[in-house]
Amino acid sequence: MKLYSDEELAEILDQEIFHQISEAADHLGLECYVVGGYVRDIFLERPSNDIDVVVVGSGISVAKELKKILGHKAHLSVFKNFGTAQVKFKDTEVEFVGARKESYSHDSRKPIVENGTLEDDQNRRDFTINAMAICLNKSRFGELVDPFNGLADLEDGIIATPLEPGITFSDDPLRMMRCVRFATQLNFQIEDETFEALERMADRIKIVSGERIEVELNKIMLSPVPSKGLVDLQRCGLLNILMPEVAALDIVEQKNGRAHKNNFYHTLEVLDNVARKSDSLWLRWAALLHDVGKTKTKRWDPAIGWTFHNHNYIGAKMVNDIFRRLKLPLGSELKYVQKLVDLHMRPQVIADSEVTDSAVRRLLNDAGDDIDDLMTLCEADITSKNEVRKKMFLENFRMVREKLADLQEKDYKRLLQPVIDGNEIMELFHLKPSREVGTLKQYLKDAVLDNKVENEREPLMQLLMDKARQMGLV
């Protein structure tokens, strides 16, 4: 980050839009400040086109005055019920609100709002780093107003609340998620008193809508190192409320001197490995949930130790409930995550033995267009501290990728789908949709996938007739 004097801030804000906002506010005789994330991001040297402006008085009136100054190319939206307005001009958005103070009832996030001073408005902000304001009035243009030492917290990499954190989080429990999210995105530490309030107030998150929580969770998941946020959520107790299935992985059980690994921290390592390779939100969700079935499937076998048989299958079934609870999308995104969770063991099984053409063809058939993402997840899942074993797996994965690339080059969809389909089978043997039709289709498909015959009409027809005779259909 970089520190600036008021004079330097005035130079940074020496842009036409800020001088026009200044002109509008001065014309109406109202105090006017740019606040929040825009101010924070100036010091973090991060560009932003979204500008939040607080007016001591009517924010809507300043927005209307700015629209007059900008002319017909500007678009004004007024939200009278909320006392806010938005002006869009070219690629810039300016949100106006009147300074206000808020009070809350215990069971609601909806505040009772009254007009207030700049100080009142800064008091109600979530974190000190978001409570800084820069005056836009001509007489004080560029003057920083920072009553809670947000600049010092920004410099020290600290997330703290302006008021007593218990009050801040009780008033609006979504701020607990935002606290973890900002700490994750900025790679900051949560101040001790603030973290203690997170632990104390965690249960209050239950009054927040799933949709609002989803937004914050996804921002944590899309952070450069998402594990940081998941660890904070686990430490303060929020994760156990939001995703108890993931929180439950944080255990190491020992029997007869043999312990299994901590699957929570293994999961986070896999998630970070994926995050280094891909910005895909849903691939990251697949990484977070890939071992979620292990708690339900954990068994002790005296002969081999701890086992987690079918955890991929059980985990894929659990994904649906998790997505529903968190208000995550239930369409193609859900199916994609379920598929990757279900298939994530398959490349490892292949790589753990001889990499056969048949196994690779079956894998490609089942994964389809998501095969590259599946391979990325599986490579990320190799977190063994045994470098020899790790190297062996990665080398075998390289061979799997080579065989996959060869198949894809040859138009795998044509190669792997038998040229004789179910409709033709029904017509040939005068069948209706039935188990017999499914058996014949699968028989042909297995033959193609195992490369027993070429995917051509004549050899497949011969196989089909032989199988139909065995089944008494001809």
Side-chain angles (χ1 to χ4, degrees):
M1 68 163 287
K2 192 169 181 181
L3 298 175
Y4 297 101
S5 65
D6 288 354
E7 292 75 19
E8 288 170 324
L9 289 174
E11 286 180 26
I12 290 168
L13 297 180
D14 187 16
Q15 303 170 41
E16 194 171 6
I17 187 67
F18 289 113
H19 288 298
Q20 288 162 330
I21 295 169
S22 177
E23 181 185 339
D26 282 347
H27 180 75
L28 297 172
L30 297 172
E31 282 182 52
C32 183
Y33 301 84
V34 58
V35 296
Y38 192 91
V39 177
R40 178 195 69 229
D41 288 347
I42 287 175
F43 294 101
L44 291 175
E45 300 180 274
R46 302 196 311 186
S48 176
N49 288 327
D50 296 329
I51 302 167
D52 290 322
V53 171
V54 163
V55 177
V56 183
S58 169
I60 293 174
S61 64
V62 176
K64 288 179 176 177
E65 187 67 22
L66 177 64
K67 168 71 170 79
K68 286 182 195 173
I69 293 168
L70 294 174
H72 68 279
K73 289 186 179 179
H75 177 74
L76 171 68
S77 302
V78 174
F79 308 98
K80 200 168 182 181
N81 288 346
F82 299 97
T84 65
Q86 181 190 72
V87 176
K88 289 187 180 179
F89 183 65
K90 297 179 181 177
D91 61 348
T92 298
E93 292 183 10
V94 187
E95 299 274 354
F96 288 89
V97 65
R100 55 193 184 180
K101 55 184 174 182
E102 298 174 345
S103 56
Y104 292 78
S105 64
H106 183 73
D107 58 350
S108 173
R109 289 184 58 241
K110 293 181 180 176
I112 300 164
V113 179
E114 303 172 68
N115 292 335
T117 63
L118 175 66
E119 183 183 4
D120 290 328
D121 201 87
Q122 288 175 303
N123 283 341
R124 72 177 185 83
R125 299 272 160 183
D126 50 9
F127 308 111
T128 60
I129 62 171
N130 295 333
M132 297 181 286
I134 301 174
C135 187
L136 295 179
N137 295 99
K138 189 174 181 180
S139 61
R140 296 168 53 211
F141 193 83
E143 180 185 310
L144 178 67
V145 183
D146 180 20
F148 304 109
N149 294 316
L151 197 53
D153 285 346
L154 205 57
E155 194 173 12
D156 293 339
I158 295 291
I159 302 293
T161 57
L163 303 178
E164 198 277 309
I167 296 171
T168 298
F169 293 149
S170 181
D171 282 351
D172 184 355
L174 183 65
R175 289 169 176 163
M176 294 189 288
M177 293 297 298
R178 285 170 57 83
C179 178
V180 174
R181 187 254 291 183
F182 277 120
T184 309
Q185 286 181 325
L186 299 175
N187 194 25
F188 280 16
Q189 296 301 312
I190 301 172
E191 180 258 342
D192 288 347
E193 190 182 348
T194 303
F195 193 86
E196 286 165 12
L198 284 180
E199 295 176 290
R200 207 168 56 246
M201 312 297 299
D203 209 51
R204 287 277 286 154
I205 200 67
K206 292 175 182 175
I207 72 165
V208 181
S209 72
E211 290 82 0
R212 300 300 297 275
I213 290 170
E214 177 208 356
V215 170
E216 297 301 326
L217 267 178
N218 284 340
K219 287 179 179 178
I220 290 170
M221 292 292 285
L222 286 170
S223 298
V225 184
S227 66
K228 184 180 186 326
L230 273 300
V231 169
D232 281 342
L233 290 175
Q234 175 73 333
R235 286 174 56 227
C236 72
L238 282 169
L239 191 65
N240 193 49
I241 297 168
L242 303 175
M243 285 186 280
E245 305 89 341
V246 177
L249 294 171
D250 189 7
I251 188 172
V252 175
E253 205 168 339
Q254 188 166 327
K255 200 161 187 175
N256 296 351
R258 300 173 74 174
H260 62 76
K261 65 187 171 189
N262 185 307
N263 287 303
F264 177 70
Y265 286 97
H266 161 73
T267 291
L268 298 191
E269 195 174 345
V270 175
L271 175 58
D272 285 348
N273 287 344
V274 165
R276 280 191 283 272
K277 291 284 183 71
S278 173
D279 292 330
S280 165
L281 174 62
W282 304 112
L283 179 52
R284 293 181 183 207
W285 271 104
L288 180 64
L289 300 179
H290 80 284
D291 275 350
V292 77
K294 280 192 168 179
T295 307
K296 287 189 175 182
T297 59
K298 182 168 70 171
R299 300 288 183 274
W300 170 255
D301 182 331
I304 57 176
W306 294 104
T307 67
F308 304 92
H309 294 313
N310 291 326
H311 75 272
N312 54 312
Y313 171 72
I314 298 298
K317 290 174 69 174
M318 293 167 67
V319 170
N320 182 64
D321 288 342
I322 294 169
F323 266 50
R324 284 185 183 279
R325 185 190 324 125
L326 297 175
K327 306 299 182 187
L328 291 162
L330 301 177
S332 59
E333 298 90 348
L334 168 63
K335 289 183 172 62
Y336 166 89
V337 172
Q338 285 179 314
K339 180 203 276 192
L340 263 60
V341 171
D342 189 24
L343 293 178
H344 83 270
M345 295 297 294
R346 284 273 294 281
Q348 286 194 30
V349 172
I350 295 171
D352 209 12
S353 56
E354 186 184 349
V355 182
T356 65
D357 287 351
S358 172
V360 173
R361 289 165 77 93
R362 285 181 172 278
L363 176 65
L364 184 51
N365 175 74
D366 293 342
D369 293 335
D370 299 317
I371 186 66
D372 286 339
D373 285 356
L374 177 62
M375 292 302 295
T376 297
L377 172 59
C378 293
E379 286 161 354
D381 199 14
I382 306 302
T383 62
S384 172
K385 300 299 180 276
N386 182 329
E387 288 302 321
V388 174
R389 182 171 168 77
K390 188 173 182 179
K391 188 176 180 181
M392 181 198 76
F393 263 114
L394 293 175
E395 174 60 21
N396 284 0
F397 276 147
R398 186 189 61 76
M399 292 168 61
V400 173
R401 278 195 181 271
E402 282 181 5
K403 287 180 182 288
L404 286 168
D406 187 49
L407 269 176
Q408 287 170 309
E409 211 173 282
K410 294 176 181 173
D411 185 6
Y412 76 93
K413 287 183 180 175
R414 183 182 62 77
L415 280 171
L416 303 185
Q417 295 300 323
V419 294
I420 299 173
D421 64 12
N423 290 327
E424 188 170 355
I425 290 170
M426 287 189 285
E427 197 175 313
L428 273 169
F429 303 111
H430 308 291
L431 295 170
K432 292 183 177 178
S434 59
R435 188 191 310 175
E436 287 87 354
V437 177
T439 300
L440 291 169
K441 276 178 64 180
Q442 192 61 48
Y443 182 72
L444 293 185
K445 187 158 194 174
D446 287 342
V448 169
L449 290 174
D450 291 336
N451 211 18
K452 290 178 179 175
V453 293
E454 291 296 317
N455 190 8
E456 294 172 1
R457 187 171 186 77
E458 191 174 327
L460 280 177
M461 186 60 77
Q462 183 63 52
L463 273 182
L464 179 62
M465 297 310 291
D466 290 347
K467 184 67 174 176
R469 272 191 285 274
Q470 289 175 22
M471 294 171 65
L473 296 174
V474 290

